[in-house]
Amino acid sequence: MKWIILTGGDYGEAAFSSEYLKEIVPGDRIIAVDSGANFAWQVGLQPEFLVGDMDSINPAVYNKMKEQGVKVHTYPRAKDYTDTQLALKLAEESGASRIAIMGFTGSRLDHVLATLYSGIRLVRKGIKVTYVAPEFRVYLLDGILQLAGNPGDLVSLVALTENVTGVSLTGFAYPLHQATLQLDKPYAVSNQMLSDSAQIEVGQGIVAVFHYE
């Protein structure tokens, strides 16, 4: 079961294109996180849930969502979890096997990092987590990823656990074979795809794969 989480970060003009929105297909279940509902309303998407402290959602959008039967989960501003973390927890409890998080970038680097790191626990539970931005994707990986793209696409790997072992890259300008990536030594940055497909394999640990298309 695939869940889409629409967060309250930047979407940019490209987000309104069919290329960006193709990440959302009929049958996907959608959670809007606070002002992520503003984007949902603009592009004609109706979420199943609306989650957050509602401090940045357009009041008119909030009322429309309630009128349309969206299930609203409201939380206080003073809490131990971010709105996005609460949405991830809801998706997990609802049986998600795959989660795509959209609109996660913005001016708050702390929020971006918190959202990225929040996926680690889910990956350890066997849930596939992808972050979608108009210019790039981030895949949290603890196994094998077949990457589709174009020759020259930039791809970077950043360790999210202390040591990531058994890292092999096939189809890249700088291949790796059973390498070890370290959390405090991010050297696997700015690699390039040689064709329209490539493979990344991780033996143990979790990496964030940044793919700039």
Side-chain angles (χ1 to χ4, degrees):
M1 181 186 299
K2 182 181 176 183
W3 281 85
I4 302 290
I5 296 179
L6 303 174
T7 63
D10 292 339
Y11 283 87
E13 291 184 9
F16 297 90
S17 68
S18 58
E19 185 69 18
Y20 185 75
L21 292 175
K22 75 178 182 181
E23 290 287 334
I24 304 174
V25 299
D28 288 344
R29 301 177 70 179
I30 300 173
I31 301 174
V33 180
D34 207 327
S35 60
N38 299 338
F39 172 75
W41 181 255
Q42 286 180 288
V43 297
L45 295 172
Q46 181 173 330
E48 184 173 342
F49 295 98
L50 172 58
V51 174
D53 53 28
M54 310 306 161
D55 65 344
S56 55
I57 186 173
N58 184 313
V61 171
Y62 177 80
N63 292 333
K64 288 290 185 182
M65 292 284 177
K66 290 191 69 175
E67 289 172 8
Q68 292 181 349
V70 176
K71 300 165 190 170
V72 179
H73 292 201
T74 305
Y75 296 87
R77 293 192 67 180
K79 55 187 181 297
D80 294 331
Y81 302 95
T82 67
D83 290 345
T84 301
Q85 288 171 332
L86 292 169
L88 287 168
K89 186 172 185 292
L90 176 58
E92 176 191 356
E93 292 173 347
S94 300
S97 59
R98 294 186 296 153
I99 299 174
I101 304 163
M102 307 175 78
F104 73 100
T105 58
S107 60
R108 290 285 303 272
L109 180 58
D110 52 346
H111 275 247
V112 174
L113 291 175
T115 298
L116 188 66
Y117 292 149
S118 294
I120 295 173
R121 182 181 61 84
L122 300 177
V123 172
R124 285 174 171 157
K125 292 188 173 186
I127 300 172
K128 295 185 181 300
V129 180
T130 305
Y131 299 83
V132 182
E135 302 85 6
F136 65 95
R137 305 282 189 274
V138 183
Y139 305 89
L140 299 196
L141 180 64
D142 64 349
I144 297 175
L145 174 65
Q146 301 290 342
L147 197 62
N150 296 289
D153 282 1
L154 290 176
V155 177
S156 295
L157 274 62
V158 177
L160 295 181
T161 50
E162 190 67 30
N163 290 297
V164 183
T165 60
V167 179
S168 296
L169 302 179
T170 305
F172 289 93
Y174 307 101
L176 291 175
H177 179 68
Q178 295 295 307
T180 296
L181 302 183
Q182 297 173 293
L183 186 65
D184 60 353
K185 189 181 178 182
Y187 68 84
V189 174
S190 295
N191 211 330
Q192 286 187 309
M193 293 179 62
L194 295 177
S195 65
D196 59 2
S197 65
Q199 178 175 292
I200 302 168
E201 182 175 357
V202 171
Q204 189 170 18
I206 299 173
V207 295
V209 179
F210 291 77
H211 179 202
Y212 293 85
E213 300 173 282

